[in-house]
Amino acid sequence: DLYNASLMRMFLTLLLAALGASGQSLNLSHDLVAKGIAAQNMIPNVPALDSRPLFQAGVAYASKNNIPLVIADPGSYYFLSLTSPYQHVYLDAIHNVTVDLQHSDLYMAQGNVTGIDVNNSTDFTLRNFTIDYLQLPFTQATVASVNPAARTIAIKQLGKYPLPSYLNAVTLPPGFVNDGFFAYIFRNGIELRTTGRMPVAGPVTDSSIQITGSDPWTTATQLATIQPGDTLVLELRAGIGTIFASNTTGLTIQNVSVYASGFIGVFTNYGSSITVDHVQVIPRPGTGRLISTNADGIHLASAGANNAITNNTVKRGCDDAIAIDGQWAAIVSAASSGTTVQVTRHNDVPIAVGEMFDFIDITTAAIVGTATVTAESPPVSAQTGADGEAIKLTLDHAVSVKQNFGVAINDPNLRGSGTVISGNLVDQQTFGRGIYPAGVANLTISNNMLEATGGSGILVEQDEGLPYNYKTGPSSNITIRNNIIDNALGFGVPSYNVLSYAGAINVVAYDENFNWVKTASMPNIDITNNFVTNSVGSGIRMENVNGGSVTGNLVLNYGLDPADYLWYLAPGETMAQLESELKQPTLVVNSTGVANSNNTTTGSYVANLSNADGSYRAAPGSIASAWGQFPVPTPAVPAGATLPTILGGISVNVQDSAGVSRKASLYYASSQLINYVVPPGTAPGVATVTMGSSTSAAFIGAVAPALYAANGAGTGVAAAVAVRVSSNGTQTPVPVFECSPTCAATPMPLGAATDILVVAFYGTGIAGRSSLSNVTAQIGGVNATVAYAGAQSQYPGLDQVNVYVPKALAGAGEVPLVLTVDGVTANVVTINVQ
């Protein structure tokens, strides 16, 4: 019922406003002036109003006055000023506050500066908003021509994207990362596999890009593969994070979409009990952007204990999608064999008296001793805490160390212990890995889907390299279970050393010169019951591990191109040896006590995708399509209205992540395609799907919104119907599209001022939404009311979303619909508004 659904949404909005009036919450859009917090309320949809000081003052007031909930009216807010050169919003010492912006859009001014900076806070929640930049930290241009010998790429402006020179004016404060300019080449929306992340000389010009450096993927031979008409993405890889938190416990970031970052999307440092849930780090939907972040998607650095990175989507970032690390505390500056050791501090990692530290030989990656610090000179109270600070440590017993040995924190609780990474979807990750834990302990990685990563799908690493400020100790007690890793190393070209991309799941330690080591330095790593398919190199490579297992994994289509862009060889390696290793489904080397058994390497590959748009997430009760080879002699459809569980002689069994098996109802069966309904009640996570003799996996989320398009491909004009409702209740059908034979959007008149144009979009994976208020829609960038989102009722698995078209769109022409359900955005379809 459209009326009742709309009334319920209005009631919820009024209820939140009433809570604000009663003192249980603070409404930034209404209460700032009344409470004397600011001279102006934070009004939405006013581009000239600087919301930064108003937002900051309101949240600080709520924390100080024990107000648990901060809200704002839905809309767009513009953060036009900086608190300091380091950030737009600075929130310090915020305790026991939830900020719920009710699906608002936040626009920060300067693209390489942190958007929201949280420091020294506890039990603080940010939820229900998107965040983007008015000045993007990257731009896109069209390739006009290429001079491979000179390593120059001539460019011309692409649409409304600014020409590159505006990035020259970006100024960054001391301490910000500034790696400089990099270029990526895309063709037909996909990164060109012959070129990787290419350094660019600065300052940049508006007519030509100069490629620099000695990387083998930037040579004239590789550049000659670029063609006029390709798209060049130029990024200034500099900054910290769009959302950044330091020294914070109990931070929750939920139902937030990050659309751009000069460096990392969501970045925490020295945090514990951090929850990042239903966060999207993706290119802004409805635009032609080809990347999201200039570096990582979600990164927990120097992580404390008990974190949860769950149910997130990371797409098209330009480094690792999800990373967690425990960094070194210091580097030994002089050889010693006694109870005193001279070190230099690494970054600003605390070195606490009474703490236990591991001392690591960076030539072998082995721990040569573990000792407790009993005293320091200068004392902690007199130290600056700066990177490179000289400190003399007194130990409780003698340890023999050499110059440049590492000093890593021993306590697992200061290395991410108890962290869970689960339910995440990584798709088309440019340059980096899917999930990257380094120097952490007691970590579980389960029920994730990692599709088309530039590097390994999962890389567990011990990094001892000296040339840059990123070092780790050994990783230990890592469980990698029930994940889907497909097409690893297959998006773009791997732009780094081969030891980091030797397998779809890769575990490796290396020395200070980025060479393989023989030591089994990382204890207890288990890789079990994963689905690894279509890997350029090995399916699973386990190296430098003491105790663990590689068991029960399905590894299909591995070693697809073992000679593919092997840029570097380590000393002692030959090309023939390396190619031989990369052809193996599973490989355990330089390890002790590791069981490599009961892995399946035969069978046919099956992809389980959303029936609406071919995306990788499905939901209980949604319609899925299985693409593969099946023993179905002739195409079959149900004979009656009731869907059968056996069709064309084949059935589909779905065993969910909790181990419960259910038969699926079938819409269609043929030798290459089976359409089925994911059984209601299927638990989220990675499900095992059996069809005849084929065993495959499906990635299940609580919701998986996907919309049908008229062309059947999930793009272009929506497969929708519309009706215009007049003030007297008269309903007039309005066509949305026409196919003859290609499909095009039909211009829809909005009618009289009192008429309402309602478009019913069809999709799947939507009915399981938590509430109607958590279903949002924008049409042509304008917020639109969602009157209904649920089952269509006539066809199992088919859902319907009824949206009111805003009057502000009159004359807009063809515009995109961006639908988000419980923090997950559907594929973008279009309509035409006359």
Side-chain angles (χ1 to χ4, degrees):
D1 187 306
L2 299 184
Y3 175 77
N4 287 336
S6 181
L7 187 65
M8 179 59 70
R9 184 165 184 158
M10 182 182 299
F11 172 74
L12 290 173
T13 301
L14 292 173
L15 177 61
L16 285 170
L19 285 172
S22 69
Q24 296 303 306
S25 71
L26 175 72
N27 190 322
L28 299 173
S29 302
H30 298 275
D31 299 337
L32 298 183
V33 174
K35 293 182 179 296
I37 301 170
Q40 165 75 56
N41 288 320
M42 199 175 89
I43 306 301
N45 308 318
V46 183
L49 176 62
D50 184 7
S51 292
R52 195 275 307 165
L54 308 176
F55 178 85
Q56 193 166 296
V59 174
Y61 179 92
S63 179
K64 182 179 180 180
N65 291 277
N66 301 314
I67 299 174
L69 178 63
V70 175
I71 62 174
D73 290 352
S76 297
Y77 295 94
Y78 300 85
F79 294 67
L80 306 177
S81 63
L82 304 180
T83 299
S84 80
Y86 293 89
Q87 72 281 108
H88 291 82
V89 173
Y90 183 61
L91 301 173
D92 185 57
I94 305 299
H95 307 292
N96 305 308
V97 172
T98 292
V99 176
D100 186 339
L101 296 181
Q102 300 189 74
H103 311 292
S104 293
D105 299 307
L106 310 187
Y107 294 92
M108 304 291 156
Q110 299 184 30
N112 290 90
V113 178
T114 296
I116 300 175
D117 186 345
V118 180
N119 195 40
N120 300 316
S121 299
T122 57
D123 299 324
F124 179 46
T125 296
L126 293 166
R127 69 162 57 120
N128 293 332
F129 61 89
T130 74
I131 185 166
D132 202 354
Y133 286 95
L134 298 174
Q135 181 192 67
L136 290 176
F138 65 88
T139 192
Q140 299 179 185
T142 300
V143 173
S145 63
V146 183
N147 186 332
R151 298 208 296 169
T152 59
I153 304 173
I155 58 173
K156 58 184 178 180
Q157 189 169 24
L158 174 61
K160 295 182 179 180
Y161 288 98
L163 286 165
S165 59
Y166 80 96
L167 293 170
N168 294 327
V170 174
T171 58
L172 297 167
F176 265 34
V177 174
N178 189 354
D179 293 334
F181 298 105
F182 292 93
Y184 304 85
I185 302 296
F186 290 80
R187 182 174 298 161
N188 299 321
I190 301 297
E191 189 184 2
L192 186 63
R193 189 157 175 79
T194 49
T195 60
R197 187 179 78 171
M198 301 179 293
V200 172
V204 293
T205 71
D206 291 337
S207 59
S208 181
I209 299 299
Q210 178 68 59
I211 304 299
T212 65
S214 58
D215 297 324
W217 51 88
T218 64
T219 62
T221 300
Q222 302 305 121
L223 296 178
T225 64
I226 303 172
Q227 299 175 1
D230 289 342
T231 300
L232 181 144
V233 175
L234 179 73
E235 67 172 19
L236 175 57
R237 182 180 159 111
I240 296 182
T242 298
I243 300 176
F244 175 63
S246 186
N247 299 303
T248 292
T249 300
L251 173 70
T252 296
I253 303 172
Q254 190 174 52
N255 286 1
V256 171
S257 293
V258 177
Y259 293 144
S261 176
F263 201 58
I264 296 172
V266 175
F267 186 26
T268 69
N269 204 23
Y270 308 124
S272 59
S273 299
I274 303 294
T275 297
V276 183
D277 179 68
H278 283 90
V279 167
Q280 297 184 127
V281 183
I282 58 175
R284 189 178 190 94
T287 69
R289 296 186 197 175
L290 293 172
I291 66 170
S292 55
T293 60
N294 290 2
D296 299 352
I298 300 168
H299 191 144
L300 274 57
S302 298
N306 301 322
N307 309 291
I309 307 175
T310 53
N311 307 309
N312 305 296
T313 302
V314 182
K315 183 173 184 177
R316 293 288 185 95
C318 291
D319 210 316
D320 300 318
I322 298 171
I324 179 171
D325 61 68
Q327 295 189 0
W328 284 15
I331 296 175
V332 174
S333 53
S336 171
S337 58
T339 57
T340 60
V341 178
Q342 188 69 43
V343 303
T344 55
R345 187 192 302 276
H346 172 66
N347 286 340
D348 56 353
V349 175
I351 303 176
V353 173
E355 191 68 57
M356 188 179 295
F357 293 87
D358 296 326
F359 294 84
I360 302 169
D361 183 340
I362 60 174
T363 64
T364 66
I367 296 175
V368 298
T370 301
T372 299
V373 174
T374 60
E376 299 179 20
S377 178
V380 173
S381 60
Q383 294 174 18
T384 66
D387 182 29
E389 182 177 16
I391 306 170
K392 181 181 288 186
L393 305 179
T394 301
L395 309 178
D396 65 341
H397 63 270
V399 175
S400 180
V401 295
K402 296 179 181 179
Q403 186 178 8
N404 290 330
F405 275 23
V407 185
I409 296 170
N410 176 269
D411 185 356
N413 289 317
L414 300 177
R415 295 191 291 123
S417 182
T419 294
V420 173
I421 302 175
S422 182
N424 303 288
L425 172 62
V426 173
D427 185 18
Q428 297 183 1
Q429 192 67 6
T430 304
F431 174 70
R433 288 72 59 124
I435 297 176
Y436 174 57
V440 293
N442 308 329
L443 186 74
T444 299
I445 303 170
S446 67
N447 290 293
N448 303 283
M449 177 151 192
L450 311 164
E451 173 65 33
T453 50
S456 296
I458 300 174
L459 173 64
V460 180
E461 191 172 77
Q462 180 180 349
D463 181 346
E464 308 304 340
L466 277 179
Y468 55 81
N469 242 7
Y470 183 78
K471 320 288 189 294
T472 72
S475 292
S476 61
N477 300 315
I478 310 294
T479 297
I480 301 171
R481 180 182 64 242
N482 207 41
N483 302 281
I484 302 172
I485 303 95
D486 182 56
N487 197 24
L489 316 167
F491 189 76
V493 66
S495 305
Y496 34 78
N497 201 310
V498 67
L499 60 82
S500 291
Y501 67 90
I505 301 178
N506 194 29
V507 181
V508 66
Y510 51 85
D511 67 15
E512 77 275 26
N513 296 315
F514 305 100
N515 296 324
W516 271 297
V517 297
K518 304 293 185 181
T519 310
S521 57
M522 294 183 283
N524 303 323
I525 297 180
D526 292 296
I527 303 174
T528 59
N529 299 330
N530 299 282
F531 297 83
V532 183
T533 52
N534 302 316
S535 175
V536 170
S538 297
I540 300 171
R541 183 180 177 118
M542 173 88 87
E543 192 157 5
N544 310 117
V545 172
N546 177 17
S549 64
V550 180
T551 59
N553 302 285
L554 176 69
V555 184
L556 300 177
N557 297 356
Y558 50 87
L560 296 180
D561 195 350
D564 187 40
Y565 304 113
L566 298 181
W567 302 119
Y568 303 103
L569 294 180
E573 290 281 345
T574 66
M575 182 67 77
Q577 176 187 351
L578 197 54
E579 287 187 43
S580 175
E581 292 176 352
L582 295 179
K583 290 179 181 178
Q584 303 302 312
T586 62
L587 186 67
V588 176
V589 292
N590 297 322
S591 298
T592 60
V594 175
N596 182 10
S597 61
N598 299 320
N599 299 296
T600 302
T601 59
T602 59
S604 61
Y605 170 68
V606 175
N608 293 279
L609 310 173
S610 170
N611 176 256
D613 68 339
S615 56
Y616 296 100
R617 191 183 267 118
S622 70
I623 306 173
S625 293
W627 293 90
Q629 297 295 324
F630 309 110
V632 179
T634 58
V637 295
T642 302
L643 297 183
T645 57
I646 300 176
L647 188 63
I650 200 165
S651 63
V652 175
N653 185 76
V654 179
Q655 179 178 307
D656 66 20
S657 60
V660 178
S661 293
R662 301 174 178 88
K663 294 293 184 183
S665 300
L666 306 183
Y667 267 107
Y668 177 80
S670 72
S671 60
Q672 294 181 315
L673 171 65
I674 298 174
N675 292 334
Y676 64 96
V677 178
V678 177
T682 299
V686 172
T688 301
V689 182
T690 305
M691 304 169 185
S693 61
S694 297
T695 300
S696 60
F699 182 60
I700 309 298
V703 294
L707 296 170
Y708 287 98
N711 63 8
T715 60
V717 60
V721 297
V723 61
R724 191 169 59 249
V725 183
S726 67
S727 58
N728 64 8
T730 302
Q731 298 187 7
T732 304
V734 179
V736 178
F737 65 91
E738 181 180 4
C739 298
S740 59
T742 59
C743 297
T746 302
M748 295 185 293
L750 290 170
T754 55
D755 290 352
I756 299 174
L757 179 62
V758 184
V759 180
F761 296 90
Y762 294 104
T764 193
I766 298 165
R769 86 296 192 277
S770 59
S771 67
L772 185 62
S773 63
N774 280 331
V775 181
T776 64
Q778 286 189 339
I779 303 177
V782 179
N783 290 334
T785 298
V786 178
Y788 175 81
Q792 186 270 344
S793 77
Q794 186 177 0
Y795 299 101
L798 183 64
D799 297 330
Q800 179 176 331
V801 181
N802 296 342
V803 182
Y804 296 172
V805 179
K807 292 291 186 180
L809 291 174
E814 191 158 356
V815 287
L817 167 79
V818 177
L819 178 75
T820 301
V821 180
D822 287 348
V824 181
T825 299
N827 56 304
V828 175
V829 293
T830 63
I831 59 173
N832 193 311
V833 183
Q834 184 174 306

